[in-house]
Amino acid sequence: MFKTILTAAAAIIASLALPALAQDSFKDLALPEVWQGEKETVFGPMQFDHGMPLRESAEMLYDKLDAYRATELFLWSQPIVSFAIWRDQAREKHENFQNRSTLHVKTYDDRVGVLTINQSSEYFFSFVNTDDDATVIEIPPGIVVGLVTDFWQRGLTDLGVFSLNAGSGGTYVLSGPTRRKTKSRTSRARRCLVRRPAMPLS
């Protein structure tokens, strides 16, 4: 009983002290500024009425936001769109170029699709769809520099001198994310299973 009385008394004292504490703590707190009239913002000058943008300023703001979102969408989709265009152009210019076909780059037009390509090196490229079946790549020993990327231009593995085999040759099995088991018919000792990750949605 005595403990209950002490607890109740302490609660009353605390409740009496809280208003005074709050008054001392927030007496110097400035009220938020309510914008009125024209104000300079990161989007340019805008007109406000009691803190709310006027119709003309609000429409300008929405137009800016639409432009920013469109820019974000373009940057997000640029890797896969540019690869798709590169693949489609190769199919249009080369009649027999299909899934898993390898193109020996010889002409200037075939080199235009890559920014870092030069005119003196030998280039081969291929576009592979791993949804229906896995793909096996045989790399011979020697000075070969290559890489495997997905359509989002994410590097999956290196080929040749910069790979784990360090230029000694090897077999690479490309498998899509939906395939659980991959069997290779090759008999090389050095093998590397490369699984393509799922595509990002955002």
Side-chain angles (χ1 to χ4, degrees), residues 40-44 68:
E40 189 67 30
T41 70
V42 293
F43 302 102
Y68 292 154

Side-chain angles (χ1 to χ4, degrees), residues 1 4 13 17 32 40 45 64 74 120 130 141 157 160-161 163 172 182 186:
M1 180 66 179
T4 304
I13 294 173
E40 189 67 30
K64 294 281 189 182
F74 170 79
S120 58
T130 58
T157 187
V161 295
S163 69
Y172 295 81
T182 301
T186 61

Side-chain angles (χ1 to χ4, degrees), residues 39-109:
K39 291 292 184 180
E40 189 67 30
T41 70
V42 293
F43 302 102
M46 296 180 61
Q47 296 290 334
F48 291 87
D49 182 17
H50 294 86
M52 298 297 294
L54 299 183
R55 179 182 295 274
E56 183 177 353
S57 296
E59 291 178 354
M60 182 271 293
L61 181 61
Y62 280 118
D63 290 341
K64 294 281 189 182
L65 294 177
D66 289 341
Y68 292 154
R69 291 297 295 167
T71 303
E72 292 175 357
L73 180 60
F74 170 79
L75 294 176
W76 170 80
S77 62
Q78 189 175 21
I80 191 172
V81 171
S82 61
F83 256 39
I85 294 176
W86 188 19
R87 177 201 59 191
D88 294 343
Q89 290 293 321
R91 290 177 176 177
E92 290 180 6
K93 294 180 179 180
H94 304 278
E95 183 178 357
N96 296 324
F97 189 82
Q98 301 175 356
N99 182 34
R100 297 185 178 88
S101 296
T102 301
L103 179 63
H104 184 190
V105 179
K106 297 180 180 180
T107 66
Y108 173 81
D109 290 340

Side-chain angles (χ1 to χ4, degrees), residues 99-100 128-135 174-176 179 181-183 185:
N99 182 34
R100 297 185 178 88
V128 174
N129 184 359
T130 58
D131 287 339
D132 55 347
D133 195 6
T135 298
L174 308 183
S175 176
R179 295 187 60 81
K181 295 183 180 180
T182 301
K183 294 182 179 180
R185 291 173 294 180

Side-chain angles (χ1 to χ4, degrees), residues 99-124:
N99 182 34
R100 297 185 178 88
S101 296
T102 301
L103 179 63
H104 184 190
V105 179
K106 297 180 180 180
T107 66
Y108 173 81
D109 290 340
D110 291 333
R111 298 173 186 266
V112 173
V114 184
L115 294 177
T116 57
I117 207 167
N118 60 66
Q119 300 297 320
S120 58
S121 300
E122 294 284 338
Y123 289 94
F124 300 85

